[in-house]
């Protein structure tokens, strides 16, 4: 299987098409994971799986047999040196209107994409759209992503690489597809994601390693930070060079954090930086 | 074409399947309308069309040629005495992650369903899930509907017909698939939908006729109302008999409002009530 290929399943059956009645299409009634593929393996897989299980429990979307899913993923990425794998799971078909169907087999899909090019440092656009506060959906990687689509359209129009998103109370939360890391001179901080935003798997790893702490952050905290970075499971940790009129130079705290990550997950090594 | 049938288009081309890459599946990146079909016609069509145009402009999702769409709808519902037509429009395929694609033809679908049975009076469940406040998405009928899916699951578990939804500030807004009408003894009131909720087409007609006014309403206003009703474009106006422990008897204000609607749109006449 090559980059660009995809596979679609209904429960444990391979199928060819998505029926019109799929609830993903109608309501964004699903979950997804975006996975880094490296030499036929998926780094941080168990964390992706834990978040998928959490989303499944909170939305009451049944999971297909996970051994079966893992076997299909292993087949698909065997021999793939570098790529991005998207796993999409929807509640399947049916139900009267919004009412979730009972015992419908979930639909899930795998698609392999090339690894995107990664800029050395990111230009961030301060997005005008805010994230709504919804604890019932916060943290999980569900498919209701119009806020991110609108934010990303702003980023494109601004000619930037990514966007900084605040919640409707004006507090910075995350980027459109990455978590926010703020170095205040003492340590790395990241906003909580219990009211909006996604609990990124790499963010989770950094927190567990004691390399990052949750903190309530204001826009002033972000603007006055010594260094900013974004992290996600596909691109690792990327420094931020610009946010609106504010500029940052390369900072040793970012290099150090990248090196700590590369020690555990060498696929996130930064080209040109000494391998630890 | 019979109830249960559907048709799928990519721009102006009839197609057979929804590709994996459709943005509706991944992000709920789309809009929909749920239309009453009556004797080969769609009551309130121009209002549905206006809301679709509004959603299209606000989300920057291109519309297919609307004359073409209307011609396909006319073919589809010709000879259909009563039914529900769903029109679903997604941003089509592609784009790098959340970034909207440039010039992708939109995908749209038509599906005809039987008219649902309508109870004489509704039992409402007070939903625990709240609606997030998001002015950028309020009013339009977009496909990010996990809040409604979770609310409807609550309604099913409670054995009720519909659910009352409050926003995260605790203010009543709407039902899962209908607008809220509150009779305070003087007139009918309905909450604004500029922070969350959908601007229902029948709600719009009632406002324009001077039969309904927007008002800020609290849960106390709802509980102390002389009468409650829900309205939508498929089922018209339905009285509410129950909300939690509160009960309402049939009220002449509701019968009068139903009669005013039936005068303009006879398909919404209530069986057993005298035709005006």
């Amino acid at each position: 299987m090559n980059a660009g290929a995809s596979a679609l399943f209904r429960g444990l059956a391979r199928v060819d098409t998505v029926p019109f009645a799929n609830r993903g299409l109608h309501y964004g009634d699903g979950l997804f994971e975006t996975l880094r593929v490296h030499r036929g393996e998926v780094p941080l897989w168990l964390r992706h799986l834990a978040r998928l299980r959490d989303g499944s429990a909170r939305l009451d979307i049944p999971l297909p047999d996970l051994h079966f899913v893992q076997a299909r993923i292993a087949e698909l990425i065997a021999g793939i040196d570098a790529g991005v794998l998207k796993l999409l799971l929807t509640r399947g078909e049916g139900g009267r209107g919004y009412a979730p169907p009972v015992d419908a087999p979930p639909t899930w899909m795998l698609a392999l994409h090339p690894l995107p090019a990664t800029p050395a440092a990111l230009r961030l656009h301060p997005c005008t759209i805010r994230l709504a506060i919804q604890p019932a959906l916060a943290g999980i990687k569900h498919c209701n992503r119009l806020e991110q689509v609108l934010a990303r359209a702003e980023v494109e129009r601004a000619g930037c690489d990514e966007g900084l998103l605040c919640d409707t109370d004006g507090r910075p939360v995350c980027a459109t597809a990455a978590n926010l890391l703020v170095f205040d001179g003492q340590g790395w901080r990241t906003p909580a994601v219990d009211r909006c935003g996604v609990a990124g798997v790499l963010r989770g790893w950094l927190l567990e390693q004691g390399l990052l702490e949750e903190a309530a952050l204001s826009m002033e905290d972000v603007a006055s930070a010594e260094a900013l970075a974004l992290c996600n499971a596909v691109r690792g940790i990327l420094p931020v060079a610009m946010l609106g009129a504010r500029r940052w130079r390369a900072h040793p705290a970012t290099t150090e954090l990248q090196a700590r990550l590369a020690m555990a997950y060498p696929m996130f090594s930064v080209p040109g930086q000494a391998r630890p």
Side-chain angles (χ1 to χ4, degrees), chain A:
Chain A
M1 186 144 176
N2 300 312
S6 62
L8 177 65
F9 300 84
R10 187 167 180 270
L12 302 189
R14 180 99 187 229
V15 292
D16 290 325
T17 59
V18 183
F20 174 88
N22 194 281
R23 294 175 62 91
L25 277 170
H26 291 254
Y27 308 129
D29 193 1
L31 297 160
F32 68 107
E33 293 291 331
T34 309
L35 312 145
R36 171 77 172 252
V37 176
H38 181 76
R39 296 184 187 165
E41 302 278 342
V42 174
L44 299 158
W45 165 248
L46 291 177
R47 289 177 184 273
H48 285 287
L49 196 57
R51 183 171 60 188
L52 187 66
R53 279 182 194 279
D54 180 33
S56 156
R58 285 170 58 191
L59 300 184
D60 199 22
I61 294 180
L63 289 173
D65 180 283
L66 290 172
H67 289 102
F68 185 84
V69 173
Q70 291 181 73
R72 297 295 80 71
I73 291 177
E75 283 169 14
L76 208 146
I77 67 176
I80 299 292
D81 191 53
V84 178
L85 177 68
K86 180 152 183 181
L87 166 60
L88 175 65
L89 169 72
T90 83
R91 201 187 300 269
E93 296 142 42
R96 287 185 303 110
Y98 293 127
V102 178
D103 295 333
T107 298
W108 54 284
M109 300 168 230
L110 300 171
L112 200 54
H113 301 283
L115 193 63
T118 297
L122 301 170
R123 295 158 299 167
L124 284 201
H125 169 68
C127 292
T128 57
I129 189 170
R130 302 288 177 97
L131 295 177
I133 292 166
Q134 177 49 278
L137 299 176
I140 59 178
K141 211 161 165 77
H142 59 72
C143 294
N144 275 201
R145 294 291 161 198
L146 279 170
E147 290 176 334
Q148 282 71 26
V149 171
L150 294 177
R152 186 69 217 185
E154 282 191 51
V155 170
E156 301 284 314
R157 284 194 297 273
C160 286
D161 304 302
E162 248 287 14
L164 179 66
L165 281 158
C166 292
D167 65 22
T168 48
D169 287 344
R171 290 190 167 276
V173 181
C174 54
T176 69
N179 286 107
L180 176 67
L181 308 176
V182 178
F183 186 70
D184 62 5
Q186 308 237 290
W188 287 96
R189 321 287 178 205
T190 192
V193 289
D194 56 348
R195 305 199 312 160
C196 53
V198 173
V201 295
L202 185 47
R203 172 187 184 277
W205 182 84
L206 291 166
L207 287 167
E208 208 175 276
Q209 296 296 308
L211 298 169
L212 179 66
E213 277 185 10
E214 278 193 6
L217 296 171
S218 66
M219 272 308 285
E220 292 66 41
D221 295 327
V222 170
S224 65
E226 286 197 15
L228 282 193
L230 300 184
C231 71
N232 72 26
V234 168
R235 306 207 288 184
I237 296 165
L238 292 178
V240 171
M242 184 186 124
L243 171 66
R246 176 80 161 89
R247 301 288 182 278
W248 287 269
R249 291 190 181 185
H251 194 287
T254 313
T255 316
E256 165 69 16
L257 197 66
Q258 290 173 317
R260 295 290 289 268
L261 175 63
M263 229 182 305
Y265 294 100
M267 68 289 294
F268 295 119
S269 299
V270 178
Q273 276 183 19
R275 291 265 184 131

